[in-house]
Structure formats: C-alpha cells, structure tokens
Amino acid sequence: MAPPSHSHATNGSGAPHSQNNGAIAVDTPVTQCARLLDADEFRRHGHLVVDFIADYYAGLGEYPVHPTVSPGFLRHHLPAEAPSSRTEPADAFAAALQDVRDVILPGLTHWQSPRHFAHFPASSSTVGALGEALTTGINVVPFTWAASPAATELEMVVVDWLGKALHLPERMLFAGGGGGTILGTTCEAILCALVAARDRKLTVIGEERIGDLVVYCSDQTHFAFCKAACITGIQRDHCSEIPTYRDDTFALSPAELQAAMQRDVDAGLVPLFLCATIGTTQTTAVDTVGELCAVAAPHGAWVHVDAAYAGSALVCPEFRGVIAGGVEAADSFSMNAHKWLLANNDCCVMWVRTPSALVAALGTDQEYILKDAAAATAAEGVVDYKDWGVTLTRRFRALKVWLVLRCYGVEGLREHVRSHVRMAAAFEGMVRADARFEVVTPRRFALVCFRLRSPKNYRSAGGEKSANELNRRLLEEVNAASSGPYMSSGMVGGVYMLRCAVGSTLTEERHVREAWKVVQDRATSILRKMEIIM
Amino acid sequence: MAPPSHSHATNGSGAPHSQNNGAIAVDTPVTQCARLLDADEFRRHGHLVVDFIADYYAGLGEYPVHPTVSPGFLRHHLPAEAPSSRTEPADAFAAALQDVRDVILPGLTHWQSPRHFAHFPASSSTVGALGEALTTGINVVPFTWAASPAATELEMVVVDWLGKALHLPERMLFAGGGGGTILGTTCEAILCALVAARDRKLTVIGEERIGDLVVYCSDQTHFAFCKAACITGIQRDHCSEIPTYRDDTFALSPAELQAAMQRDVDAGLVPLFLCATIGTTQTTAVDTVGELCAVAAPHGAWVHVDAAYAGSALVCPEFRGVIAGGVEAADSFSMNAHKWLLANNDCCVMWVRTPSALVAALGTDQEYILKDAAAATAAEGVVDYKDWGVTLTRRFRALKVWLVLRCYGVEGLREHVRSHVRMAAAFEGMVRADARFEVVTPRRFALVCFRLRSPKNYRSAGGEKSANELNRRLLEEVNAASSGPYMSSGMVGGVYMLRCAVGSTLTEERHVREAWKVVQDRATSILRKMEIIM
C-alpha cells in the first residue's frame, strides 16, 4: 500500500494538530460560513471530484478487485483524533483527495470493477451517479409534500413509471389505487410491510397476541426477512423457514407452506406473513407467487414479494413469465434499483396494494410538521412519505430514478439487462462444456452457480464434504489472482458452490471469458497438485 | 411555473414514446453497456452537473424558499409512462438537466436557502456534498469488513474522531470498549437501540413477556421514538409520554419519571427504555440525562440520548455543560451530522456502550457473505457493520464525515456552530426588544421560539386560543412573502409559537435582520387590520 501523502494521515501519534491553529479569526464568522458553501469554491472542487471519479472509472480495470490487506491496516495508520485546525480549504481538499487515491482506494473492494462477479451487482451508471450528486447538492428533505412538493410528486410519478416498466399489476400503482415509495434497502421495505401486516392483524385479534404470530419463508429467503421479523417483535422461533430442495430448483413448495400454516393454526398460532422471493440470493430461485398467495389467502396472511435482484429483469418482456398471474394477489412487492437497474446506492422501490395499511402502522401526526401540509395533501391525492417508511429524514432519491428512466429509457434498461444475461449464458455454456464442472442450478438471470464435480478418487472418502473443500480452495485461489475475477460462494442443500454474478456495468464479454480461463487454470493446477481424478 | 422545456416532460397524453425507437441495435450490447459508465461521458456530464449545482447555490437567494404550488402541480403534468427509447445520451442528459432547472427546482422547498429558518437545518457544505458525490461515484457496499475493508475501517476511525470532538465519554468510543456506526437517520438509531434493549431484557424475563414492556419519554420527545417503539412490538399504550411544563423549560422531570416507572412496576409491567433528548424538536429543551439515568438504573432500563439537532453544538466546549456528568451513564447516544455539522443528507451517527448487545439483536450469519470475513474480523477487532443496523446494503458515509473533519477541522466546525448561535442570539435580542412579542422559551442553541403576546382586547374573549390564531395568521403571512423568510411553528403547553431555526450554511446576519423586519411588518399590518391593542 502506498504511504499516505499528507502529513495528517501519517500522524499516528494522536498528537493534537496545532499547525495553523487560530487561523480562523473569531470576528469573521459570517464570511467563514459563507465559504463553506461558496459557489465558486464548489465549482472548483467539484470539477476536481468529477475528474477524480472519471479517472477512477478509466483505471478500474487495473485495480485488484479485492485488496490484499489485513484487518487494522487503515485503522492503525490514521491519527487518533480529528485535526483541530482548519487548513486552507483549497489545500486541504486537494490533499484529502490525494489521500483518497493513495490510502482509501487501495483498501476498497471495487464493486464497479468489470471483474467483480461476487454477491449481486451494485450497478452504477453515469446518470445514476450524477443523479445522486445532484440530489446531495440540492439537499432537500422531502418528508412531507409541503417540505418539498416537487420531490414528493416526482416520487409518485416515477414509482408508477417503474412499476409499469416492470409489468407490475395496475393495483399496485397509484394509478390503480395502490402506490409506491423509494426507500434505501429491501431490509427497510420488508420491515415496513411486516409492521403494516402485523398491526392490521393485531387490530383484529388483539395486541396481546403478538406472541402467537408466525411468519413464513423458505430456507433460501434472504436473512433480512427473519431479521426484520425479529425487529417487529415476532418470536425468533416463529419465523418458519420451509426447507427447499435441489430437485425443485430451491423454490418454496406451496404444499409444504400449506402444511406448515395448518400445523400452526392447529397449535393455536396465527399465520401472519409470507415472504416469497423472485430470484433468491444464493441461486436466483423463483417462488411461484400465485400458488403461494392462494395458500396464504384463507389465513388472511400478507404476501410480500422480494425481488431485490431479479426485479430489474422484469423490465424485459421475456422475463414477465416469472411473475405472470402471480403478483396480482400479493400485498406488496419490492426491488432494488441499485442492484441491476443503474440507480446507484441506495435505491429500493416498494409498492403496496393498500397504502392505508402502511399509513395506519407508520403514520404520525404532530403540530410542528403537519398543520401546513394536512389540508393540502388530503385534497389532491398526494402523500406524505414519512408515513410510508421508518424514517422521517429521507433523500430525494426520485430525482435519480427519474433521470435514469428519462435518459436511458425502458429500452435502454432492457438492453443493459439483456447484455448481462447474454454474458452469463455464455459463461454457463463454458462451464457446461468442461466435463470437470457442473452447473448447480439452471441459470435464470445473470447468475451462474457452478462447482467442480465430486472427484472420483474422493467419493469413497468423505464424498460431498471433500468436494466442498475442493471448491472452497478453488474459490480462494481464483480470488487470490490480483488481476483475476472476484467471485463469491453459496451453500445449498449441503453443496458448496461458486457464484459468478455478471452485472457490473463495465463488464464486457472479454472479462467473462478471462474469468472462466482463470477458473479453469486454477482448477487444473489444484487437481494436479492434489492428484485428483475427475 | 415555467413550462417544461423538453417534449417528453410536456407530453401529458401518456402516449408511448416511440421517437428514435430501435436506435439501439440489438447486436451491440457490450458497447452500449460500456457507455453507461464511460469515463469520458461521465467527465463531460459531471462537469455539467457541478456547474448546475454551483449556479444553484449562487442563485439560491433569488428563489422563494417555499414554492407557491398546489398538490398535483407536477404529477399531473408529467407523462403517465417512462420514455421507451433511449435518446442520444448527450442530448437526453442536457435536456433532463434543463427540466430540473425549469420544472423541478421551482417546485422545491429550498432547504439551502439563506432564508430557510423552518424545522431544523439540513446543513450542506462543499466538502459534505462532494463527499457524497465521491461516495456515489465509487459506489461500494461495505456491509462487512471484507466487502470493502477501507470503508469499514474509516467508519471506525471517524466515529471515534467525532465522538471525541463532541466530548462524549470514552466508554462510548471504540477506544474505550464501546463503538459507533453511521446510519441514515435518528429513527434508525433509536430503532436499533430499542431492539438491542428489548432483546437483552426478554432474554432475562422471557420472550412471551413482550406485552409487559414499557418505554418512556417526555411529551416533547420526537414522534420517531414512539413510532420506533411500535415498530419493535411495544404496545401503543405502553409508550409512556411524561408531561413537561413551561416552568421547567419543557425538560423531562426525573421525579415524574421515577413515579411513572414505579407505577408500572407496581402494575406488573417492566420498564425497558428511556429516550432522553438533548435539544428537543419544538424548543430545544435539554433533559438532565445524569439524573434520568439514576432513575432508570435500578430498573435496568436502557437510556438512549437523542441529540439529533443539538449534538452538533457539543463540538464547542462552551456547550459541554448540557451533557456534563450525564452521558457517562447512558447506554447509547445519537446525533445527525446532516442537521448542523455540514455532512449532507443522510448522516446519523450512533454510539453505544455495549456493541455486543447490538450485535446480539441485529447480527446475522450466513454462508454466502460471512465465511471469508469471519476469521479476518474476529482477530483484529474490526467489525461487520451489517450487524450494527437494520440494513445490509449501506453507503460509504464515512468518507463524507472524514472529509468534513479533515478539511474543516474541529475548529472550523466550532466556528460554523458559533456563527449560527450568534445570529440566533441577535434574533432573540430583536424579539425581546419589541414589546408586542415574547420569547416562549429561553434560546439555548440556534433556535428562537417566539410569538405575539396575547392581545389585551382579546384576553377576555378566548384568551390563549385567540393568541394562537393570531400567531398562526402571522406565520402564514410571513411565509407568504416570496422574498421573505420561511419559518415553521410549534405548539407547547397549549401555546402556539413561531420557530426561527438559524442553521442554513448560507445564512448571514443580514438574512436574520431581514427576516425579523418581515415578521415585524406583517405583525404591524395584521394588528392594524384586526384593530388589536397590544
């Protein structure tokens, strides 16, 4: 790692920073404060930052995707205290940028690298990034309509735009009596839906029966769901995780859900909520939402569809099949536009069929923010978004989503998604063409789950466990190559696998081919060293 | 409102946008995607955005702070669907920016206006805004240490830097066995602290007793607290709001808290949590944290200190008195650096004394993200921040906080706070010098709560109610002046008051003087029209 360029960053002593102390005369406060947001200074420093980011993108291919650093590498090299004095702004900012380049960047995992295939993508775009920059520059706080009318109204417009583009049912849009909001993450969306469902149910059965409520998901559902359920006061052992199987492509079985709900009802418990997933985190499995809704309906259970990753694919008509006839009956739906739809972090869009249930659970009313707004909003069907989420303070995320839709168009988004799907299909083809490997579950979107097969001379001694160890070692070696790809792992049905998620905006076909080449080479080397016969 | 400049924005027909359709050839997907994050295009468009924001700051004084628009003004003027085709990027982006200028900006409430005195400030700075821009440009997702090591470590460093700068007790810093994290909002911070406290308590008394838990606050506590308590499954009538009085400057009475807790214990209930506030939303009242902690301690109740607004003032030694000897005994503390400490939205910093309680409640463990990280993080005392908050996806907010501290220094932040305090003191002085007005509660930070006194010839007929109506009308007329200040209101102890919160980064003394002049002029005009005798 390059040494920090600036004296402050190298000061590990924790000694007070006294240079230039007192440079700010106490009798010139107004001038000082004005300079903190001076248009000319913003322009000068802003252009530095734009060039910094552009240079970063241009050079991203050169960075190892994942840094080879040890815990504490940065923490123990920075001073123990913030600098006390303000240095000359121009110098300080340029020096700080130099430290970002020299000290911070080499310690990051570069999610925007064309060779980042781990987890799910955090897809950036020029328009998404600049939309965020614009939002933070304008820096309004649209918690009510009155607190920034255009921000609220633009949010109402773009959630309908996006919902239509994703082929969601009309009843989830404002245009059809439902509505949507833009939150930070799926964790928040699920939490909001859960609280709405819980309060609706407890109103009927009584608050004291919170201990009887049960929520359902599959063993493939993201852990955010059980975490959210615990946050809402659902007992830990009332988060019913239904097992899935490789033969069913790890989809949640409606029959097993029905059995689980019936067992709970028989035990005097109350089915509250089902979290179905379109595109699970490990293998992008797709739950059959329609059938699951039919199971949940007689129990009055709320059905939420978590399409955090795969929701973006619904922009393509060819993927409509995964929700066809299903989402109509669901109560809420969420997807992360920051994952695969070019809206930079963070950007989760949630739609609900009955906004009144959300507002009943999360709405608040207090003199100091509402009196000016209440009359205005009631009349024209506009909303106060503070009543649709956990937080009061919120960012004007709608601006970014509007710019992305406006500048790239629905067709542009489709091409973006399709290009990744094509590249993933190509990767899948390469895996299938090498007899040593297997594809663990059929690729549905742009994630390929694969592994080295169980070696012949290992099958007797340990079998699956040995194969898992082998693949663990393979992933380690693949990720250790500093100019190679960076992938992650999964474990489904006892099977350890590698995950190659194609989705970085900068990824091109050559990166995918090169990634596969690295996997093959490392496999060959490992198998030879271990004297393994495939 | 100026008509939208671009054909798309004016297309209210909802007709499909078919111009240029098919411009994106299906056989060139890779090139298309690369262009979505092309360095040169980012540079070109980025410079446009920087100039756009700089121009906005330069011209901010010219905008009415609050737009005169009616609900639906924007919603009904935008097309019902997103454009289907991608237009030429350069054109589309420039045209979109023009629409932001012509259509969006005139419909916003300009929180950065030097004449914005409503609510609490959302203080921007050049470094804060550009720190956010840098974060979104780099766009990493630091949910675990391994997912972006430098981001996690920088967060650990800056929360200690900031905690020291705010004179927080050592035991809340990593350096003293506690620790901090950067979340979006105080709502999230309180929610996390509540869940940690709840689970710690239920582990002792049993999950089934959730219905017996009671949480405490004053009637001045932000509604976010009771909302968060409801989210965690605390019964609505178990959020005990203790009345406050003007004679006590609306601070929470330790004696009344003690009585309330004892009553609940006698009734078989379990005191769980106290939310004390330093700088309440309506009047910036300061609860005496030390005494309140002493009351809560025998019950094993968790004490959280919400210093969302006033926490920033603690950077000045002269404000240390408000926490002196108090926060030592609290369990957690949070403040919004986005309110008054130049870190643009969103940026709430929370510190806790026992991070293990947070992780026990919010921690998760799953193969596909943890195996590579667990070994690494355990060793060197670094953390996985996903276990410290509600969300998995999080932004690299530490970069912004580091840049602000690095470039402005602790002294720079002090001067920033002090300049606002001085201006607010000047405003308070002007109010006191006009016998028609009264200051409702003594100013503590940079918020002045004031009102027209109860008119002599109204006192017999309705008294307080008439005074409230009078002040309501005053605020309306003050805010209606398009080149005037924008203030908000509060209602404490039956008294309606105007709130003048000095805190916009661009506010100078002349804006404060002009604001007071508008208030006086409108008051004179109203009093004359109503033939009121003061």
Side-chain angles (χ1 to χ4, degrees):
Chain A
M1 194 181 73
S5 67
H6 187 262
S7 64
H8 177 60
T10 53
N11 177 358
S13 69
H17 303 261
S18 57
Q19 77 283 9
N20 205 16
N21 210 343
I24 300 158
V26 175
D27 56 352
T28 57
V30 172
T31 313
Q32 282 301 332
C33 281
R35 283 182 63 196
L36 297 172
L37 202 63
D38 177 75
D40 291 335
E41 187 170 290
F42 181 88
R43 201 183 306 269
R44 210 164 49 245
H45 290 166
H47 289 311
L48 289 182
V49 166
V50 165
D51 287 336
F52 183 100
I53 300 171
D55 292 346
Y56 175 65
Y57 294 155
L60 249 181
E62 307 310 311
Y63 284 98
V65 186
H66 189 67
T68 49
V69 293
S70 302
F73 78 102
L74 180 64
R75 205 179 154 209
H76 300 320
H77 281 81
L78 289 174
E81 289 181 25
S84 72
S85 294
R86 180 177 179 180
T87 45
E88 260 312 288
D91 296 342
F93 192 75
L97 271 186
Q98 192 60 44
D99 272 359
V100 174
R101 201 182 320 259
D102 296 341
V103 185
I104 310 290
L105 289 187
L108 292 178
T109 303
H110 299 283
W111 286 67
Q112 302 315 314
S113 167
R115 292 178 282 110
H116 189 285
F117 298 102
H119 313 297
F120 278 133
S123 78
S124 288
S125 66
T126 295
V127 173
L130 295 177
E132 267 292 330
L134 205 52
T135 292
T136 195
I138 295 172
N139 209 27
V140 298
V141 191
F143 54 85
T144 57
W145 179 87
S148 269
T152 295
E153 300 208 12
L154 195 65
E155 186 163 337
M156 296 181 74
V157 168
V158 297
V159 294
D160 267 21
W161 280 15
L162 186 59
K164 282 182 197 174
L166 300 184
H167 306 97
L168 294 188
E170 180 93 357
R171 65 197 298 185
M172 280 199 180
L173 312 181
F174 282 109
T181 184
I182 310 180
L183 307 169
T185 70
T186 297
C187 306
E188 286 174 73
I190 292 176
L191 180 60
C192 293
L194 265 166
V195 172
R198 184 200 65 190
D199 283 7
R200 191 174 69 175
K201 183 67 84 179
L202 291 181
T203 303
V204 177
I205 65 173
E207 267 192 302
E208 69 286 356
R209 291 196 62 196
I210 188 171
D212 294 336
L213 300 177
V214 186
V215 301
Y216 303 83
C217 63
S218 87
D219 60 5
Q220 296 303 308
T221 305
H222 193 282
F223 65 73
F225 176 62
C226 284
K227 176 168 168 174
C230 289
I231 289 174
T232 67
I234 304 296
Q235 292 190 12
R236 278 182 193 272
D237 58 355
H238 285 187
C239 187
S240 179
E241 280 192 7
I242 294 165
T244 59
Y245 307 97
R246 193 168 172 182
D247 290 348
D248 298 333
T249 66
F250 299 106
L252 175 56
S253 151
E256 295 218 24
L257 175 69
Q258 184 153 36
M261 286 186 166
Q262 194 53 55
R263 269 196 309 275
D264 290 332
V265 169
D266 293 345
L269 301 175
V270 180
L272 173 69
F273 196 98
L274 165 69
C275 183
T277 307
I278 293 182
T280 59
T281 304
Q282 299 216 81
T283 65
T284 67
V286 173
D287 293 337
T288 50
V289 177
E291 292 174 53
L292 296 169
C293 285
V295 171
H299 299 287
W302 182 296
V303 180
H304 179 80
V305 180
D306 169 9
Y309 162 71
S312 297
L314 297 177
V315 77
C316 301
E318 63 268 33
F319 283 111
R320 280 190 70 173
V322 301
I323 55 165
V327 176
E328 284 287 342
D331 294 278
S332 50
F333 182 100
S334 63
M335 57 81 66
N336 289 348
H338 64 240
K339 273 203 166 62
W340 198 15
L341 218 58
L342 300 170
N344 292 45
N345 268 333
D346 44 11
C347 192
C348 171
V349 189
M350 170 174 68
W351 293 265
V352 292
R353 243 173 59 191
T354 50
S356 60
L358 263 193
V359 175
L362 299 167
T364 55
D365 192 353
Q366 211 147 342
E367 168 79 17
Y368 51 91
I369 60 164
L370 266 189
K371 281 292 173 286
D372 53 346
T377 56
E380 262 291 337
V382 297
V383 304
D384 287 332
Y385 272 123
K386 72 173 178 57
D387 297 334
W388 289 53
V390 171
T391 70
L392 178 67
T393 294
R394 50 206 314 280
R395 298 187 350 271
F396 182 12
R397 296 187 184 93
L399 185 57
K400 167 177 63 182
V401 178
W402 176 72
L403 283 169
V404 164
L405 286 166
R406 175 93 153 66
C407 294
Y408 297 137
V410 177
E411 276 300 330
L413 299 179
R414 284 178 187 152
E415 275 316 306
H416 165 71
V417 165
R418 283 170 184 156
S419 76
H420 290 144
V421 170
R422 269 190 292 252
M423 286 187 266
F427 188 90
E428 185 190 25
M430 292 185 275
V431 175
R432 289 193 192 279
D434 186 331
R436 300 172 300 173
F437 287 87
E438 66 176 331
V439 172
V440 177
T441 54
R443 179 197 53 78
R444 271 187 179 269
F445 304 100
L447 170 74
V448 182
C449 298
F450 68 102
R451 69 192 309 240
L452 277 168
R453 290 177 192 278
S454 196
K456 283 195 180 117
N457 54 341
Y458 271 54
R459 274 181 206 160
S460 50
E464 208 55 77
K465 193 157 165 261
S466 307
N468 287 350
E469 282 314 309
L470 179 64
N471 281 288
R472 235 184 258 279
R473 181 160 169 195
L474 174 62
L475 179 63
E476 242 170 53
E477 296 213 6
V478 165
N479 284 347
S482 74
S483 63
Y486 184 61
M487 299 184 183
S488 55
S489 64
M491 175 75 93
V492 284
V495 168
Y496 180 95
M497 64 194 185
L498 282 72
R499 292 171 73 265
C500 176
V502 180
S504 172
T505 311
L506 293 171
T507 301
E508 300 174 21
E509 281 167 19
R510 65 188 169 97
H511 300 111
V512 174
R513 279 195 307 272
E514 286 162 12
W516 174 242
K517 180 87 172 35
V518 171
V519 173
Q520 278 187 311
D521 289 352
R522 298 290 152 163
T524 301
S525 150
I526 292 172
L527 295 175
R528 189 175 304 137
K529 265 187 261 173
M530 296 175 71
E531 299 182 352
I532 284 173
I533 304 155
M534 295 303 285
Chain B
M1 193 179 73
S5 66
H6 186 263
S7 64
H8 176 61
T10 54
N11 176 357
S13 68
H17 303 261
S18 57
Q19 78 284 9
N20 203 17
N21 210 344
I24 301 158
V26 176
D27 54 352
T28 56
V30 172
T31 312
Q32 282 298 334
C33 282
R35 282 183 62 197
L36 295 173
L37 201 63
D38 177 74
D40 291 334
E41 187 171 290
F42 181 87
R43 200 183 306 269
R44 210 164 48 245
H45 290 166
H47 289 313
L48 290 182
V49 166
V50 166
D51 287 336
F52 182 99
I53 299 171
D55 292 346
Y56 175 66
Y57 293 155
L60 248 181
E62 308 308 311
Y63 284 99
V65 186
H66 189 67
T68 49
V69 294
S70 303
F73 78 101
L74 180 64
R75 207 180 152 207
H76 299 319
H77 281 82
L78 289 174
E81 290 181 25
S84 72
S85 294
R86 180 178 179 176
T87 45
E88 264 310 291
D91 295 343
F93 192 75
L97 270 186
Q98 192 59 45
D99 272 359
V100 174
R101 202 183 319 261
D102 296 341
V103 186
I104 311 289
L105 290 187
L108 292 178
T109 302
H110 300 282
W111 286 66
Q112 301 315 313
S113 167
R115 293 178 282 108
H116 189 284
F117 299 101
H119 313 297
F120 279 133
S123 78
S124 287
S125 66
T126 295
V127 174
L130 295 177
E132 267 291 330
L134 205 51
T135 292
T136 195
I138 295 172
N139 209 27
V140 298
V141 191
F143 54 86
T144 56
W145 179 87
S148 269
T152 294
E153 299 208 13
L154 196 65
E155 186 163 338
M156 295 181 75
V157 169
V158 297
V159 294
D160 267 20
W161 280 16
L162 186 59
K164 281 182 197 173
L166 300 183
H167 306 97
L168 294 188
E170 180 94 357
R171 64 197 299 187
M172 280 198 178
L173 312 181
F174 282 110
T181 183
I182 310 180
L183 307 168
T185 71
T186 297
C187 307
E188 285 173 74
I190 292 176
L191 181 60
C192 293
L194 266 166
V195 173
R198 185 201 64 191
D199 283 8
R200 192 174 68 173
K201 183 68 84 179
L202 292 180
T203 302
V204 177
I205 65 174
E207 266 192 304
E208 69 287 354
R209 291 196 63 195
I210 188 171
D212 295 336
L213 301 177
V214 186
V215 301
Y216 303 83
C217 63
S218 87
D219 60 4
Q220 297 303 308
T221 304
H222 194 282
F223 65 74
F225 175 63
C226 284
K227 177 167 167 173
C230 289
I231 289 173
T232 67
I234 305 295
Q235 292 190 13
R236 275 181 195 272
D237 59 356
H238 284 187
C239 187
S240 179
E241 280 192 6
I242 295 165
T244 60
Y245 307 97
R246 193 169 170 182
D247 291 347
D248 299 332
T249 65
F250 299 106
L252 175 56
S253 151
E256 295 218 23
L257 176 68
Q258 183 153 36
M261 285 186 166
Q262 194 52 54
R263 267 196 309 275
D264 290 333
V265 169
D266 293 345
L269 301 176
V270 179
L272 172 68
F273 196 100
L274 165 68
C275 183
T277 307
I278 292 182
T280 59
T281 305
Q282 299 216 77
T283 66
T284 67
V286 173
D287 294 338
T288 51
V289 178
E291 292 175 51
L292 296 169
C293 285
V295 170
H299 299 287
W302 182 296
V303 180
H304 179 81
V305 180
D306 169 9
Y309 161 71
S312 298
L314 298 177
V315 78
C316 301
E318 64 268 32
F319 282 111
R320 281 190 70 172
V322 302
I323 55 164
V327 176
E328 284 287 343
D331 295 279
S332 50
F333 182 100
S334 62
M335 57 81 66
N336 289 347
H338 64 241
K339 274 203 165 62
W340 199 14
L341 218 58
L342 301 170
N344 292 44
N345 268 333
D346 45 11
C347 191
C348 171
V349 189
M350 172 175 67
W351 293 265
V352 292
R353 243 173 58 192
T354 49
S356 60
L358 263 192
V359 174
L362 299 166
T364 54
D365 191 352
Q366 211 148 341
E367 167 79 18
Y368 51 89
I369 59 165
L370 267 190
K371 280 292 173 287
D372 52 346
T377 56
E380 262 290 337
V382 298
V383 304
D384 287 332
Y385 272 122
K386 70 172 180 57
D387 297 335
W388 288 53
V390 172
T391 69
L392 179 67
T393 294
R394 52 205 314 279
R395 299 191 342 276
F396 182 12
R397 295 187 184 96
L399 185 57
K400 167 177 65 180
V401 179
W402 176 72
L403 284 169
V404 165
L405 287 166
R406 176 91 155 66
C407 295
Y408 296 137
V410 176
E411 276 300 330
L413 299 179
R414 285 179 186 152
E415 274 317 304
H416 165 71
V417 165
R418 284 170 184 156
S419 75
H420 290 144
V421 171
R422 268 190 293 254
M423 287 188 266
F427 188 89
E428 185 189 26
M430 293 185 274
V431 174
R432 290 194 191 277
D434 186 330
R436 299 172 299 174
F437 287 87
E438 65 175 332
V439 172
V440 177
T441 54
R443 179 197 52 78
R444 272 188 179 267
F445 304 99
L447 170 74
V448 182
C449 298
F450 68 102
R451 68 190 314 239
L452 277 168
R453 290 177 193 279
S454 195
K456 284 194 181 116
N457 54 341
Y458 272 54
R459 274 181 205 158
S460 51
E464 209 54 78
K465 192 155 164 262
S466 307
N468 286 351
E469 282 315 310
L470 179 63
N471 280 288
R472 238 184 256 279
R473 181 160 166 196
L474 175 62
L475 178 62
E476 243 170 52
E477 295 212 8
V478 166
N479 284 347
S482 74
S483 62
Y486 184 61
M487 299 184 183
S488 56
S489 63
M491 175 76 94
V492 283
V495 168
Y496 180 95
M497 63 194 186
L498 283 73
R499 293 171 74 265
C500 175
V502 180
S504 172
T505 311
L506 293 171
T507 300
E508 300 173 21
E509 281 168 18
R510 65 188 169 97
H511 299 111
V512 173
R513 280 195 307 272
E514 286 162 12
W516 174 243
K517 180 86 174 35
V518 170
V519 173
Q520 279 187 311
D521 289 353
R522 298 290 152 163
T524 301
S525 150
I526 291 172
L527 295 175
R528 189 176 303 138
K529 264 188 261 173
M530 295 175 73
E531 300 183 352
I532 283 173
I533 304 156
M534 295 302 286

